[in-house]
Amino acid sequence: AANSLNIGGIRISPYACQRRTTLKNYNQKLTDAFEILVENYEFNENKEFCLAFGRAASMLKCLPFTVVQVNDTEGLPWMGEQVKEITEDILEEGESSKVKAVLNDENYRSIKLFTSVFGVGLKTSDKWYKMGLRTLEEVKCNKNLTLTRMQKAGFLYYDDLISSVSKAEADAATQIVQDTVWKILPDAVVTLTGGFRRGKQAGHDVDFLITVPGSRQEEELLHTVIDIWKTQELLLYYDLIESTFENTKLPSRKVDALDHFQKCFAILKVHKERVNEGSAVQSKVFAEEETKDWKAIRVDLVVTPFQHYAFALLGWTGSRQFERDLRRYATHEKKMMLDNHALYDKTKKIFLSAANEEEIFSHLGLDYLEPWERNA
Ligand code: ATP
Ligand code: MN
Ligand code: MN
């Protein structure tokens, strides 16, 4: 409470893990604008401004009202001078010249385009930009470039991967994952995580967490799943990463660090007949033409030992901003270290175990937030 402020009777914490943020966003015009700036600062590796606008956007997402004048944000955490300026422009003129400039910036547009390809990160995009490349056609035609296996898949399935995954498609992917996993280990727990667990109706991929209660049978599971999908010709691409996890390791401070669980980044071939969109999307008229009857969908599979499941679930449910603030809160308010694997109490010098997410919130002295309240 010491860190909280009172605005019109609403207590608002500077930590997203102490705010209930649903998908109902009354300030999307502002948060969309801020997120464009965040993206641009990310491209330019300006960490400070990236954080500043990210936190401001997250703050506005939890407000139960639309900000109509700058005064409405008075006393809110994270509303610095820069943020206020942009807010004022948008509220008074309907748009921000700074955001418009970013959207028209050649560097921003190129990096945004290049990073939209699966397997292409900032470093590669920067390189291509500095080589004078501006379009995906130019990249594809350039004979001097060697693309990674991941990038080749990214270009090959570009159109499918750029179109967002619907909830119905995520459900179809869930069916495929569960069918296969349960054929191998009927006791395995398969949980949809990421944005879909937070209630989103669309996403850029489908995230799954898999664990097996009371056993160490999970180690071979992913290998067997991949073998089965290969024979079924459902795997368009995959990269299996073995576990590098050690039980004694202290949780990592770095929020964006990858975790150490065994995982598979895949592109799954999902047949349209498996997708129940509620209405007959596929018209018979087109059936005779040579239309593709499947969609390439990005799927992340993470396998965790059972005793780490709750931490992995909390970590993989997101949002990223929520995760950042949860870890920042643990470190600065509780002298604890939290990551996707464990929670460590630095004062007592012990690991705190948890069977579910509620227990982790409770260790941290936080009120429980449902997954759909973590859309910070
Ligand atoms: P989208 O709808 O765009 O997929 P999302 O919230 O599901 O949104 P993801 O990038 O799929 O975003 O990530 C889901 C969560 O998993 C995030 O909160 C992130 O912190 C975590 N995460 C993503 N990738 C990794 C990784 N390689 N290692 C550890 N955690 C990750
Ligand atoms: Mn996701
Ligand atoms: Mn993902």
Side-chain angles (χ1 to χ4, degrees), residues 172-184 221-238 267-271 273-274 293-295 301:
T174 306
Q175 283 295 322
I176 296 173
V177 175
Q178 286 179 337
D179 281 358
T180 313
V181 168
W182 287 342
K183 220 185 279 174
I184 307 160
L221 180 63
L222 216 42
H223 294 264
T224 317
V225 168
I226 287 168
D227 287 342
I228 292 175
W229 284 351
K230 273 185 186 167
T231 59
Q232 294 177 333
E233 293 181 8
L234 291 181
L235 260 191
L236 298 170
Y237 167 90
Y238 78 96
I267 300 176
L268 211 57
K269 186 178 195 172
V270 178
H271 285 93
E273 65 196 25
R274 283 181 165 271
D293 66 343
W294 51 269
K295 183 178 172 186
L301 301 168

Side-chain angles (χ1 to χ4, degrees), residues 25-42:
N25 180 359
Y26 289 92
N27 295 288
Q28 197 175 346
K29 189 159 187 193
L30 289 171
T31 59
D32 282 354
F34 289 0
E35 279 167 359
I36 288 161
L37 297 177
V38 168
E39 203 174 24
N40 189 48
Y41 287 129
E42 213 173 296

Side-chain angles (χ1 to χ4, degrees), residues 69-173:
Q69 51 183 47
V70 183
N71 260 352
D72 295 344
T73 66
E74 203 52 50
L76 280 181
W78 310 123
M79 295 291 145
E81 277 314 304
Q82 308 264 1
V83 171
K84 276 197 177 142
E85 257 173 54
I86 308 278
T87 306
E88 203 154 21
D89 287 347
I90 295 172
L91 295 179
E92 280 169 16
E93 276 138 60
E95 60 181 25
S96 151
S97 55
K98 202 168 164 193
V99 175
K100 252 176 99 175
V102 168
L103 288 173
N104 287 318
D105 181 66
E106 195 176 25
N107 180 264
Y108 170 82
R109 293 169 75 109
S110 307
I111 306 293
K112 176 125 179 111
L113 179 67
F114 295 157
T115 53
S116 75
V117 180
F118 174 59
V120 179
L122 265 186
K123 260 171 76 182
T124 307
S125 299
D126 256 345
K127 193 179 86 186
W128 292 350
Y129 184 78
K130 285 181 181 138
M131 288 171 70
L133 303 173
R134 295 294 179 268
T135 67
L136 295 182
E137 279 311 312
E138 286 169 11
V139 172
K140 278 193 273 191
C141 294
N142 193 303
K143 294 282 177 286
N144 299 318
L145 296 177
T146 42
L147 300 178
T148 64
R149 198 172 59 88
M150 197 180 194
Q151 290 161 353
K152 281 178 191 157
F155 277 111
L156 197 51
Y157 305 113
Y158 184 78
D159 291 337
D160 277 0
L161 298 182
I162 197 87
S163 83
S164 65
V165 181
S166 69
K167 181 70 173 79
E169 287 164 346
D171 290 339

Side-chain angles (χ1 to χ4, degrees), residues 256-326:
D256 289 317
L258 299 184
D259 66 38
H260 300 280
F261 296 122
Q262 187 193 42
K263 58 177 74 70
C264 180
F265 301 116
I267 300 176
L268 211 57
K269 186 178 195 172
V270 178
H271 285 93
K272 289 184 178 161
E273 65 196 25
R274 283 181 165 271
V275 180
N276 180 8
E277 296 276 9
S279 63
V281 179
Q282 283 210 280
S283 158
K284 279 279 174 208
V285 181
F286 297 104
E288 283 167 31
E289 290 173 39
E290 227 185 297
T291 52
K292 175 165 136 297
D293 66 343
W294 51 269
K295 183 178 172 186
I297 291 180
R298 273 275 300 114
V299 168
D300 287 343
L301 301 168
V302 183
V303 176
T304 74
F306 192 58
Q307 72 267 32
H308 300 286
Y309 175 71
F311 297 100
L313 181 59
L314 184 59
W316 276 87
T317 298
S319 68
R320 269 176 205 279
Q321 188 60 42
F322 174 84
E323 303 295 334
R324 271 190 210 112
D325 278 12
L326 193 60

